[in-house]
Amino acid sequence: QDGGPQQLFEDDDMLYLQVALKRVPSVKKDKPIRIEIPHALYNTEGAEVCLFVKDKQGEGRKKAKERLQQEEAAGVSKVMDISKLKSKFESHEAKRKLCQAYDLFLADNRIIPSLPKYIGKQFFKKKKQPIPVDLRGKDWASQIKKACNATYTYMGGGTCVNIRIARSSFDDGQIVENVMSAVEALPQILPGKWRSVQAIYLKSTESVALPLYSELPELSKEAGAGRAAGKQAEAGGKGGKGKKS
């Protein structure tokens, strides 16, 4: 070991905001929930982004690639239509490799409902479900950039919500600003608003969870119940003494 300071996270590790809920949300949503953050997690020119598109009525892969080149939509390194997704990535292993191959997956919002059966469970386990993008308009580049300049979360079937919030290469101020933006958005995205939050943590892929917030036990209610029980017992004792005399 050298004498230098020890880094808490890797050089460019992804950091996550973990939100522990008091109970499982009553509604499960597999559709990505968008959260605005001031500092983007992905550089549209450096991220590996895969875009899923329709393959009918002249809107397939070739047409989409031409459109992206015309608009200079940087960041999309792979365009794949549904037909290729079905034929080339049928096995579980192929789906797993596809999931690992890209930082971010985008999809024409018109095909989002049909994607789960083609991409498999791995995408949902890794929280890399394709992000819907509106490709019906003319400005694809701005839509793709808008998708890359936000973060996303999902309402699963458990009591933990994970949000990609920053990179360890960000400075402290950038991390804090992204965290605060996500925390401020929680009342809008959680079914029980702020009342449903038990605790909030910050962690990397491999690190332990660092507590940022934790709701204290409701000691006042417990103490109040204890005092009420004590008064009832006291009243009962006095009443017993009166009968005896």
Side-chain angles (χ1 to χ4, degrees):
Q1 294 184 353
D2 57 27
Q6 297 296 310
Q7 284 189 305
L8 186 60
F9 304 115
E10 297 296 328
D11 288 340
D12 199 25
D13 200 1
M14 187 68 73
L15 304 184
Y16 297 83
L17 197 67
Q18 273 192 347
V19 183
L21 305 178
K22 295 176 182 177
R23 57 184 61 87
V24 177
S26 57
V27 179
K28 182 178 179 180
K29 298 179 181 179
D30 289 329
K31 185 177 179 180
I33 301 171
R34 179 184 174 86
I35 299 175
E36 297 283 350
I37 52 175
H39 307 287
L41 304 181
Y42 302 101
N43 183 336
T44 53
E45 296 182 357
E48 290 291 323
V49 179
C50 178
L51 173 65
F52 295 126
V53 298
K54 294 178 66 176
D55 56 3
K56 295 179 181 179
Q57 300 176 350
E59 298 179 4
R61 179 173 58 88
K62 291 183 179 179
K63 190 76 174 179
K65 289 179 72 173
E66 292 175 3
R67 180 74 175 269
L68 292 170
Q69 289 174 353
Q70 291 173 0
E71 296 195 19
E72 298 181 351
V76 177
S77 49
K78 182 71 174 178
V79 178
M80 189 181 306
D81 56 33
I82 292 293
S83 296
K84 186 174 182 180
L85 178 61
K86 289 191 291 185
S87 61
K88 298 291 185 181
F89 300 92
E90 187 175 359
S91 70
H92 172 77
E93 181 63 17
K95 289 182 174 66
R96 186 186 66 83
K97 290 182 178 179
L98 176 62
C99 183
Q100 292 179 337
Y102 299 94
D103 297 313
L104 199 65
F105 291 89
L106 309 176
D108 186 328
N109 57 12
R110 292 169 291 185
I111 64 171
I112 285 289
S114 62
L115 278 178
K117 60 183 177 183
Y118 300 129
I119 59 178
K121 296 180 180 179
Q122 191 69 20
F123 279 73
F124 293 88
K125 288 181 180 178
K126 297 295 183 181
K127 305 299 183 185
K128 295 178 77 172
Q129 296 99 308
I131 295 162
V133 181
D134 188 358
L135 300 182
R136 292 171 297 180
K138 295 182 178 181
D139 195 357
W140 284 20
S142 66
Q143 290 294 325
I144 290 169
K145 185 176 181 180
K146 181 180 178 181
C148 292
N149 287 347
T151 190
Y152 301 83
T153 191
Y154 306 85
M155 289 296 138
T159 57
C160 185
V161 176
N162 286 293
I163 306 170
R164 293 183 182 186
I165 199 61
R167 291 187 178 274
S168 55
S169 57
F170 287 8
D171 62 41
D172 293 347
Q174 291 174 320
I175 295 174
V176 169
E177 288 174 2
N178 276 13
V179 167
M180 292 306 298
S181 293
V183 169
E184 289 172 1
L186 291 179
Q188 283 73 50
I189 66 175
L190 295 177
K193 301 186 181 299
W194 190 255
R195 295 188 303 274
S196 63
V197 177
Q198 181 64 52
I200 300 176
Y201 304 91
L202 181 68
K203 73 181 298 294
S204 71
T205 307
E206 302 294 336
S207 76
V208 297
L210 304 176
L212 302 181
Y213 164 84
S214 182
E215 183 177 281
L216 294 174
E218 298 186 26
L219 297 177
S220 58
K221 290 185 178 179
E222 294 177 4
R227 285 195 297 269
K231 289 181 179 179
Q232 288 179 355
E234 184 180 352
K238 289 180 179 178
K241 289 180 181 178
K243 288 181 181 180
K244 187 177 180 181
S245 60

